[in-house]
Amino acid sequence: MNRQQEHTLILSPIGDLDTALLEQITRALISVFGFPVHIMPLIEDLDFAFEWQRRQYHSTLILEVLEQKAPTDALKILAVTREDLFIPILTHVYGEAQLGGRTSIISTYRLKEGMGSGRRDKEYQARVIKEAIHEMGHTFNLRHCKDPGCIMHYCHSVADVDRKSDTLCRYCTILLDDERKRLTGG
Ligand SMILES: [Zn+2]
Ligand SMILES: [Zn+2]
């Protein structure tokens, strides 16, 4: 086994995504989680997860396929799509993750909300990065946090996303450190 690959995070774009945005997500993941990040497309199209009645994509099904397609030695996987995601009990989700598992996904679809037609790239990118860290955080066994400023705080709306910071609170930082030690055996 290639030891270099063992503790690698995979950022997996589905379809066309802005390269600069992917690079920003990469930098954010490296800085928060402290593992190398490789960009690796794993899924080409999402037809298998499309639900005609809702005209949305079922994120849980996508996570299952990601798990099958990911290299066995990859530590965690975050997929990014521009399509609208849902889980059956909710009208839509910004993302989904397997708590303490390997796979997570975010959708950029609803993160442009409230931005009008003007180009407000910075605000949009900030939202995408926050959601990326949040969902990846769940795979590191972090649950929702009561601190409204913490990146692991649950968001009902983009206003909530804007309000929270892009960092973990002190408590979640300790939990992440413990999980990192457990995973790397150090
Ligand atoms: Zn969450
Ligand atoms: Zn927290």
Side-chain angles (χ1 to χ4, degrees):
M1 194 199 298
N2 180 351
R3 285 209 145 266
Q4 287 303 105
Q5 290 281 103
E6 239 179 277
H7 296 128
T8 296
L9 310 180
I10 291 180
L11 176 61
S12 190
I14 302 173
D16 272 346
L17 278 145
D18 182 49
T19 314
L21 183 63
L22 290 175
E23 281 168 8
Q24 285 184 313
I25 298 171
T26 300
R27 279 197 292 273
L29 294 178
I30 292 171
S31 105
V32 173
F33 297 101
F35 293 104
V37 174
H38 292 170
I39 297 178
M40 184 187 294
L42 296 166
I43 297 177
E44 272 174 34
D45 78 75
L46 291 177
D47 287 354
F48 68 89
F50 190 65
E51 185 155 316
W52 287 97
Q53 280 162 342
R54 302 179 60 133
R55 309 202 66 77
Q56 289 173 301
Y57 295 81
H58 189 166
S59 55
T60 314
L61 299 180
I62 305 171
L63 293 185
E64 285 168 11
V65 173
L66 270 180
E67 176 66 51
Q68 292 160 16
K69 297 210 169 186
T72 49
D73 54 0
L75 188 62
K76 309 284 182 189
I77 300 104
L78 173 75
V80 186
T81 176
R82 287 160 58 190
E83 305 293 351
D84 197 18
L85 300 177
F86 79 97
I87 58 173
I89 55 162
L90 295 172
T91 57
H92 65 268
V93 290
Y94 299 135
E96 188 188 349
Q98 295 173 319
L99 184 68
R102 278 212 310 162
T103 60
S104 57
I105 185 168
I106 60 165
S107 161
T108 62
Y109 187 88
R110 295 186 184 256
L111 297 177
K112 282 201 163 130
E113 211 175 288
M115 293 197 168
S117 52
R119 287 174 61 83
R120 293 169 61 188
D121 288 351
K122 281 228 169 88
E123 286 98 325
Y124 166 68
Q125 287 160 2
R127 288 175 179 177
V128 175
I129 287 166
K130 286 176 187 178
E131 288 309 300
I133 297 168
H134 179 99
E135 294 305 336
M136 183 65 92
H138 282 315
T139 69
F140 282 90
N141 223 5
L142 297 178
R143 291 158 197 266
H144 286 148
C145 178
K146 284 188 188 134
D147 182 343
C150 175
I151 194 82
M152 293 313 295
H153 190 67
Y154 177 75
C155 292
H156 294 276
S157 67
V158 284
D160 293 342
V161 179
D162 291 340
R163 206 170 297 126
K164 70 180 175 182
S165 74
D166 58 1
T167 53
L168 296 162
C169 72
R170 268 182 53 204
Y171 179 68
C172 290
T173 302
I174 292 166
L175 293 177
L176 176 62
D177 281 349
D178 288 349
E179 182 67 4
R180 280 172 39 85
K181 280 182 196 140
R182 198 182 66 78
L183 289 168
T184 56

